[in-house]
Amino acid sequence: MLSHNRCKRLLARGGVRLTTRARLLALSTTSSVLGGAFGSHGRSATGVAMALGASKETSSSSSDNVAAEDELEGDRTFLGRLKVLTFNLLAPCYFRSDGVYESTIMNKTLRRHKCIIEVLREQRCDVCCLQEFWFNDYLRDLYQEELGHLYSISSLQRTRSEDGVAILMLKEKFHVVNQQSIYFREHSKFGHDRVALVVLAQLANMEGAEEGSQATAPSSRGKCSPPVAFVTSHLTYPHHTLDEYSRLEQSKVMLGKSKEFVEGSCPPGTPIIIAGDFNGTLEDQVSNQMRSSGYLDAFSEAEGPERSSRRITHCDHRKEQKGVDYIWVSQGAGAG
């Protein structure tokens, strides 16, 4: 795994100045890389690469630069170790350096994203959930050229903006079965120009799964692994009270439509993992909504409430440092 100093060198290469947000999210991918497993048919960033465990008994902890990896055996494990990362990339169309948008200087944009890609490639997480993914042809081609041999890349652009979200699935581990685009504005007048992407996947080395087919029980062609659903989104920043209400409405749409899609495509009990930039704290209404809907905050489950309360993944334009990025796991799946 990359050390903190290695990440700093990568992200500073070429003299590209990053915002505090981009730096924190990139560094955090090395600071909390945990190991775990899904229970059979059960189940960063935080800006972190995180693991999701079958039970509290199989949970593990990590030091700052070392990944602790559980290797579980037996029928109850179908995925083995799983590492999930969530990362707000800071879209060049929003990133201003010395008063100039980075998107106007393409060589700077490409240089910074090459550094980010190198971090993603070396981390080699099983699933990477990306926000503020810029839908520029040059940048999209760069990600495909540099990561396409490793990852299946699914993406969804916002309808009135240049950025969106993406989910990268490690090809050697996962086969993408289906995906769903959720446009919040279609389901709520407070949805704004926000989206969520749902990707259904099964183990890549299991037979019987075809892209676009329903993820169901084993077929006559071979044994299918139980499916798992991954969701990523980027909720509105709470500039004022109305935005707080909008965030809550967006989370309800994301939860409801994700559940509807998964239940209509998968067997009962299919685990759902929601990772992204929630632009809020662990004590706000959106986090309460996630918990009341049966989701666990993976970081809190793995690291405990004391460390979780101190997490910092973002320094906003008000210079406030807080944790706003999360990986939520459906409670029936377990996290640890």
Side-chain angles (χ1 to χ4, degrees):
M1 291 298 175
L2 296 177
S3 67
H4 281 200
N5 288 336
R6 171 67 168 150
C7 274
K8 288 178 181 177
R9 289 196 299 272
L10 285 172
L11 295 170
R13 184 178 297 165
V16 179
R17 187 170 70 86
L18 297 178
T19 64
T20 305
R21 174 179 201 118
R23 185 179 299 116
L24 283 170
L25 284 170
L27 292 178
S28 64
T29 62
T30 66
S31 65
S32 298
V33 183
L34 311 175
F38 282 123
S40 179
H41 202 70
R43 265 180 16 155
S44 163
T46 33
V48 298
M50 307 193 72
L52 310 167
S55 66
K56 295 292 180 71
E57 289 73 27
T58 62
S59 66
S60 62
S61 60
S62 69
S63 60
D64 276 350
N65 296 322
V66 180
E69 300 176 351
D70 284 343
E71 297 295 340
L72 302 183
E73 299 179 354
D75 292 338
R76 62 194 300 272
T77 300
F78 73 87
L79 283 180
R81 186 182 66 210
L82 178 70
K83 292 188 294 182
V84 178
L85 171 146
T86 181
F87 194 163
N88 185 314
L89 302 177
L90 184 55
C93 54
Y94 308 134
F95 177 25
R96 282 182 292 185
S97 178
D98 299 323
V100 178
Y101 284 103
E102 186 189 59
S103 58
T104 64
I105 309 174
M106 203 61 199
N107 63 332
K108 285 189 175 182
T109 294
L110 296 177
R111 187 158 63 241
R112 180 169 70 91
H113 278 269
K114 284 179 180 178
C115 294
I116 291 173
I117 286 169
E118 187 170 348
V119 171
L120 294 177
R121 186 165 47 225
E122 293 194 20
Q123 287 293 299
R124 204 182 179 86
C125 291
D126 301 310
V127 182
C128 300
C129 295
L130 309 180
Q131 304 85 46
E132 292 200 26
F133 184 79
W134 193 34
F135 282 76
N136 168 277
D137 289 342
Y138 290 106
L139 200 61
R140 293 178 71 184
D141 288 346
L142 177 67
Y143 274 80
Q144 187 61 48
E145 291 168 4
E146 297 293 332
L147 295 174
H149 64 292
L150 290 175
Y151 290 97
S152 297
I153 302 176
S154 304
S155 60
L156 175 62
Q157 185 175 2
R158 296 160 66 187
T159 56
R160 299 181 181 179
S161 304
E162 297 180 40
D163 72 307
V165 296
I167 296 180
L168 280 57
M169 309 289 296
L170 193 64
K171 288 182 176 180
E172 68 182 30
K173 189 152 194 173
F174 285 113
H175 174 86
V176 175
V177 177
N178 205 352
Q179 65 182 63
Q180 176 79 357
S181 301
I182 302 173
Y183 298 93
F184 295 162
R185 68 185 315 124
E186 294 180 358
H187 308 286
S188 171
K189 62 182 179 180
F190 296 99
H192 300 312
D193 186 21
R194 298 287 170 169
V195 298
L197 176 64
V198 187
V199 173
L200 300 180
Q202 293 175 314
L203 284 182
N205 60 354
M206 303 293 281
E207 297 180 12
E210 296 181 356
E211 190 166 356
S213 64
Q214 189 177 44
T216 55
S219 70
S220 59
R221 292 179 55 198
K223 181 181 178 182
C224 288
S225 69
V228 58
F230 296 93
V231 184
T232 191
S233 187
H234 182 193
L235 304 187
T236 295
Y237 184 88
H239 291 283
H240 42 67
T241 304
L242 181 58
D243 285 337
E244 290 282 9
Y245 182 76
S246 298
R247 288 179 59 252
L248 184 59
E249 287 297 298
Q250 290 164 15
S251 69
K252 290 178 180 179
V253 171
M254 175 182 65
L255 288 165
K257 291 301 175 180
S258 297
K259 181 180 179 182
E260 180 182 303
F261 174 63
V262 173
E263 288 182 346
S265 307
C266 304
T270 295
I272 303 176
I273 300 161
I274 301 178
D277 182 349
F278 283 69
N279 269 321
T281 67
L282 199 56
E283 295 76 33
D284 69 11
Q285 293 184 68
V286 171
S287 291
N288 289 336
Q289 173 72 26
M290 297 298 296
R291 286 187 287 267
S292 66
S293 298
Y295 285 83
L296 299 171
D297 170 41
F299 189 91
S300 296
E301 293 296 309
E303 294 295 303
E306 182 178 352
R307 183 171 180 184
S308 179
S309 66
R310 300 197 306 267
R311 81 175 108 178
I312 295 174
T313 68
H314 178 35
C315 179
D316 66 17
H317 61 284
R318 298 167 181 162
K319 306 302 181 184
E320 296 178 1
Q321 298 186 30
K322 59 186 75 172
V324 301
D325 304 88
Y326 300 92
I327 296 173
W328 296 93
V329 187
S330 56
Q331 202 163 124

